[in-house]
Amino acid sequence: MVLDKLVNEYYEELNKNDLHMIKTIHEHIEEMKAMKIQDLANYAHTSISSIHRLAKKIGFDGYSDLKSYIKLNHFTEETTQDLMKLLDQDIHQTRKYMEQLDFCQLNQLIDRAPYIYIYGTGTAQLDLANDVQRQLWSLHKKSQVIRSKRDLTDGIVEISEDDLLFIISLSGESKNIDEIIQVMKTRNIKFISMTTLRNNVLAQNAMFNIYVSSTPFHLYNRVNNSSFLPFYIVVDIIVRKFSEWKLNELKNRT
């Protein structure tokens, strides 16, 4: 949803009423283009001043600014039943997320970590984790794929506070994720989330978030599907950005 990234970013500052208002906005997202603040207040059973306070909490000057953000980020990215256009939209949106990413911080995290671990929460995520490891090896970074939740919990003592863990999850939500986060917190382990853009517990607890656009779609036989191609594109971009940054670092030393 269009406000999920902001919810993740400002989650600690939001109360139950704020989250209810955001839920109401998402439920009436198609109407937000022309919705007056009083109409939203009526839908959410709240006050106009509460809506203004919410807008300021998540980084806007007021309701008008919030509504403009929603127009720009939702109504220009409406999904389509054309599956090839849908893929184009996901790739385009993912590239936009990458343009907003703090690569300076990410590059430093990767560079400083003596060892990098990669954990995928499912079969497709594990395939991606293997590719992340391959790319990290090409950067001469020591890395290891953690192949199951049990391997992660059993081997947690081997991960130091200086190491870095990538956790790849489509939704960022599951019982296993909750358990893994608790283990990470008790060991003070730094981890980066790679998920689709939605309000999720993994992104809320990670020290750094990488967002990917992957819109679910139906195949001809009504089987649900999601593309991992945007995830692979993100990994490729990260490797290229790190290589450029590292090259500049080496040039500045000479």
Side-chain angles (χ1 to χ4, degrees), residues 17-18 21 37 41 46-56:
N17 188 49
D18 295 329
M21 285 187 283
I37 191 170
T46 191
S47 65
I48 290 175
S49 59
S50 294
I51 295 173
H52 280 303
R53 282 196 296 272
L54 169 64
K56 290 180 179 179

Side-chain angles (χ1 to χ4, degrees), residues 42-70:
N42 292 337
Y43 279 129
H45 305 291
T46 191
S47 65
I48 290 175
S49 59
S50 294
I51 295 173
H52 280 303
R53 282 196 296 272
L54 169 64
K56 290 180 179 179
K57 279 184 182 180
I58 57 178
F60 300 105
D61 292 332
Y63 178 69
S64 296
D65 197 19
L66 168 62
K67 192 163 71 169
S68 296
Y69 175 88
I70 292 172

Side-chain angles (χ1 to χ4, degrees), residues 25-128:
I25 290 172
H26 283 154
E27 289 173 348
H28 298 274
I29 195 71
E30 299 297 335
E31 304 167 52
M32 283 299 298
K33 187 186 299 184
M35 187 180 290
K36 296 179 180 178
I37 191 170
Q38 184 61 61
D39 295 331
L40 178 57
N42 292 337
Y43 279 129
H45 305 291
T46 191
S47 65
I48 290 175
S49 59
S50 294
I51 295 173
H52 280 303
R53 282 196 296 272
L54 169 64
K56 290 180 179 179
K57 279 184 182 180
I58 57 178
F60 300 105
D61 292 332
Y63 178 69
S64 296
D65 197 19
L66 168 62
K67 192 163 71 169
S68 296
Y69 175 88
I70 292 172
K71 286 181 185 178
L72 177 64
N73 288 274
H74 176 72
F75 296 105
T76 60
E77 296 164 11
E78 294 176 345
T79 58
T80 173
Q81 293 302 308
D82 186 319
L83 297 187
M84 294 308 298
K85 286 185 178 179
L86 190 61
L87 178 60
D88 287 342
Q89 288 176 353
D90 279 341
I91 292 173
H92 176 71
Q93 186 60 49
T94 297
R95 290 294 303 273
K96 286 178 66 175
Y97 296 157
M98 290 297 97
E99 290 171 3
Q100 299 168 14
L101 201 67
D102 184 355
F103 278 101
C104 182
Q105 181 184 359
L106 179 59
N107 290 335
Q108 290 175 359
L109 288 170
I110 294 172
D111 192 47
R112 292 171 181 170
Y115 215 99
I116 299 175
Y117 296 86
I118 315 106
Y119 174 68
T121 59
T123 303
Q125 292 89 331
L126 184 57
D127 288 340
L128 178 63

